[in-house]
Amino acid sequence: MIFGASSFAGPLADLKGHVGSIELYIPKLGIYNGSALETEKLDRILDELSVHDFASTVHAPYSAADSKYPSALQVDTALMGEREFALMEESLALANRIESSVVVLHPGRVGQEREKSFSSMLKNLCTLASIAEDYGVTLGLENKEGTDPSNFCCKAEELSRTVEAVNSEYLKATFDIGHANLTCGGDSEKLRAFVRTLKKHIIHIHLHDNSGQWTEKYDGDEHMAPGMGCTDYSVLKLLSGYRGVYNLEVFSLEDILFGKNTLKNAFKV
């Protein structure tokens, strides 16, 4: 089992020895001035990544309502133009440079005409998959939380349908178990059904916890340490053939250590 952590979990030096992979979370790396990539800042981060000998994945920019999210890095995959494609290609180029096999991206936002927005997202994902092929990197399209229905691909069925419609070896699924727990209302059996529906497409996993219900804070998507909420992590045993990274999307080393212990116990059950 390869444990990873998102780059916002703490300094790389502190994470060394506790995880084997780092997910470079582009919106929080501080490497952009507006939408212009500052290569010197990126190079310093990559030098440190190399010194500590981490494997890596990349989390591309996405669309977020959070006021703390950099406005120039907003990318709605259902509504993309030249700037958005340029940002996504920079993430793919980065992954190629550091030999990351996966770039995580979010599905698009539901517009006023749902089917029109969905068709636009499919078209854009086809283009992105073609670009990803050029860089030799696979995109992992992430399931979003059903407590915020303004996003596509909250349900496993829609995410599976999207991946199959694009029909490219360079677009698969990132399974976010915290988001799925919210979509399933904290119901373990529904979560199992979610995993069974999506499992054949999964190439990457995000791990965090929540209470399984909507809250005023982030629609319930609180990214707590695994074991601090109600998510049943034993459902991961359904993915017996999975060999990718188990990436902990949490905010501290303490949460990483707590989460690792939870997950190890879940696989013993």
Side-chain angles (χ1 to χ4, degrees):
M1 177 179 279
I2 304 169
F3 283 112
S6 294
S7 53
F8 51 70
L12 296 184
D14 292 351
L15 301 179
K16 184 62 180 174
H18 302 290
V19 294
S21 179
I22 297 294
E23 187 150 295
L24 295 176
Y25 199 88
I26 300 300
K28 291 188 176 183
L29 280 183
I31 59 173
Y32 277 88
N33 181 6
S35 58
L37 179 63
E38 297 189 307
T39 56
E40 289 185 4
K41 290 182 178 179
L42 174 60
D43 288 344
R44 285 197 293 270
I45 292 171
L46 298 187
D47 285 345
E48 186 178 6
L49 191 73
S50 176
V51 164
H52 295 296
D53 198 28
F54 283 114
S56 62
T57 54
V58 175
H59 196 306
Y62 55 91
S63 176
D66 186 355
S67 61
K68 296 179 181 178
Y69 185 94
S71 60
L73 300 184
Q74 293 277 355
V75 175
D76 177 355
T77 49
L79 189 65
M80 294 183 67
E82 184 177 345
R83 179 187 67 86
E84 290 80 8
F85 278 108
L87 287 169
M88 296 300 288
E89 185 163 0
E90 284 172 345
S91 288
L92 288 163
L94 168 59
N96 172 273
R97 175 181 172 183
I98 59 177
E99 300 182 345
S100 295
S101 59
V102 175
V103 171
V104 178
L105 78 166
H106 283 193
R109 309 283 287 184
V110 178
Q112 291 184 340
E113 298 180 54
R114 195 180 202 281
E115 286 306 312
K116 185 176 180 180
S117 294
F118 186 78
S119 295
S120 177
M121 179 180 71
L122 285 182
K123 180 181 177 181
N124 292 334
L125 290 174
C126 285
T127 300
L128 289 170
S130 179
I131 298 170
E133 182 175 6
D134 291 340
Y135 284 101
V137 176
T138 303
L139 294 164
L141 185 63
E142 182 177 345
N143 60 291
K144 290 293 289 174
E145 65 278 8
T147 48
D148 180 5
S150 65
N151 293 298
F152 284 115
C153 300
C154 296
K155 295 182 179 180
E157 292 81 3
E158 186 167 71
L159 180 50
S160 292
R161 179 161 66 98
T162 300
V163 171
E164 289 164 9
V166 173
N167 191 28
S168 168
E169 287 301 310
Y170 294 89
L171 180 78
K172 300 298 181 182
T174 290
F175 173 50
D176 189 304
I177 195 170
H179 292 167
N181 190 57
L182 286 166
T183 299
C184 296
D187 186 307
S188 179
E189 287 307 310
K190 289 181 179 178
L191 187 59
R192 288 181 182 278
F194 191 109
V195 173
R196 290 189 184 101
T197 298
L198 192 61
K199 64 183 295 184
K200 64 182 177 181
H201 300 304
I202 295 171
I203 59 161
H204 190 55
I205 294 176
H206 280 172
L207 302 158
H208 53 95
D209 214 338
N210 53 64
S211 63
Q213 60 186 348
W214 183 90
T215 66
E216 290 186 358
K217 185 177 181 181
Y218 308 127
D219 298 305
D221 187 24
E222 298 186 66
H223 284 254
M224 297 186 293
M228 296 296 289
C230 70
T231 303
D232 179 5
Y233 293 94
S234 71
V235 303
L236 293 171
K237 292 196 291 183
L238 295 171
L239 302 175
S240 57
Y242 179 74
R243 297 294 181 269
V245 175
Y246 292 81
N247 194 74
L248 290 145
E249 267 200 328
V250 295
F251 297 102
S252 69
L253 176 57
E254 291 74 20
D255 283 353
I256 289 171
L257 298 177
F258 190 94
K260 283 177 64 177
N261 187 59
T262 296
L263 291 158
K264 288 175 180 178
N265 287 333
F267 274 86
K268 293 176 184 177
V269 175

